[in-house]
Amino acid sequence: MKRSSNLRLTLMAVAIPAALAGCESAPTGQVLADAHDCDLQTEVAPLECRAEYDRARLEHERIAPRFESSSQCNEQFGQCTEITNELGQPNWIPPMTGFLLGYVASDLVNSRREDCRRNPDQSDCRTGGGGYYRIGGSSPLYRDYRSGDYLKPNGDVASDRLGKVTGKAGNTAPPARAITISRSGFGSSSAARSSFGGGGRFGG
């Protein structure tokens, strides 16, 4: 292999990790408490944010974790609501105490957005054309009173606070079905405390 080819490969090997490192710190989404927060944040268009809040509310009814015990649900989340599953049995679901907005992955390297950050007075920078991240999806969140974490419907932690998230925390992919919890709590922190796992299973 020629020396010039070796030099190009070496430069590429150095440049790619540097680019990935830059992407790691870029936000992949944000955690908001409710629709009111849509008017306070500046990352996405407020109207689109409110529409995603409504979608998250609908998803909450479909995929919120189901507890077989009201005491377990209230101990972890408080103010749980009783519902009846398809077998006619009572389950309890936690209140939706936040929602996650996930950004479109291609926007994470969107140089136009960076242009708008530097020059916010450009014509399309505050009309959704270049100044906002595009929304890739949303998800209801449930705040665990014991840890303070905002949990996704699959039990993964989105964040321990409101605001921007990075990496996989911005993933809004929902579980195929609601998770039913029969023992030891819900979420990865609960699984870590238990010697037999989270006690969750997929069910109706």
Side-chain angles (χ1 to χ4, degrees), residues 127-171:
T127 59
Y132 294 124
Y133 285 105
R134 288 178 294 164
I135 300 171
S138 59
S139 172
L141 295 175
Y142 310 96
R143 191 156 205 194
D144 186 336
Y145 284 156
R146 299 178 303 190
S147 65
D149 292 334
Y150 287 92
L151 303 178
K152 300 178 186 179
N154 64 3
D156 288 346
V157 175
S159 180
D160 61 356
R161 68 197 70 184
L162 299 175
K164 297 174 188 176
V165 298
T166 59
K168 293 180 180 178
N171 183 358

Side-chain angles (χ1 to χ4, degrees), residues 1-191:
M1 186 178 293
K2 294 181 179 179
R3 184 177 177 193
S4 60
S5 297
N6 284 336
L7 180 59
R8 279 196 299 271
L9 289 174
T10 301
L11 290 174
M12 288 175 62
V14 171
I16 290 173
L20 290 176
C23 290
E24 286 175 1
S25 62
T28 55
Q30 61 177 314
V31 173
L32 301 174
D34 52 33
H36 176 69
D37 279 359
C38 290
D39 298 327
L40 304 177
Q41 58 79 42
T42 59
E43 297 287 312
V44 302
L47 283 177
E48 294 178 22
C49 177
R50 286 180 173 274
E52 290 299 329
Y53 172 79
D54 292 340
R55 288 191 185 92
R57 291 290 308 174
L58 291 175
E59 283 292 272
H60 162 66
E61 295 173 8
R62 187 178 72 84
I63 58 175
R66 271 72 170 150
F67 284 76
E68 293 183 346
S69 161
S70 64
S71 60
Q72 282 190 343
C73 184
N74 283 305
E75 180 183 327
Q76 187 171 1
F77 297 100
Q79 299 182 338
C80 293
T81 301
E82 183 176 352
I83 62 169
T84 303
N85 66 20
E86 69 272 13
L87 300 176
Q89 299 166 333
N91 283 165
W92 286 265
I93 62 173
M96 177 178 143
T97 47
F99 69 110
L100 172 67
L101 292 177
Y103 300 153
V104 172
S106 61
D107 279 12
L108 303 182
V109 290
N110 185 345
S111 60
R112 178 63 180 142
R113 177 168 172 78
E114 290 307 313
D115 287 344
C116 286
R117 280 190 182 279
R118 287 191 288 269
N119 303 294
D121 294 331
Q122 295 180 81
S123 61
D124 65 342
C125 285
R126 282 295 170 223
T127 59
Y132 294 124
Y133 285 105
R134 288 178 294 164
I135 300 171
S138 59
S139 172
L141 295 175
Y142 310 96
R143 191 156 205 194
D144 186 336
Y145 284 156
R146 299 178 303 190
S147 65
D149 292 334
Y150 287 92
L151 303 178
K152 300 178 186 179
N154 64 3
D156 288 346
V157 175
S159 180
D160 61 356
R161 68 197 70 184
L162 299 175
K164 297 174 188 176
V165 298
T166 59
K168 293 180 180 178
N171 183 358
T172 58
R177 304 173 63 184
I179 295 175
T180 299
I181 297 91
S182 58
R183 58 182 180 178
S184 75
F186 172 70
S188 53
S189 59
S190 295

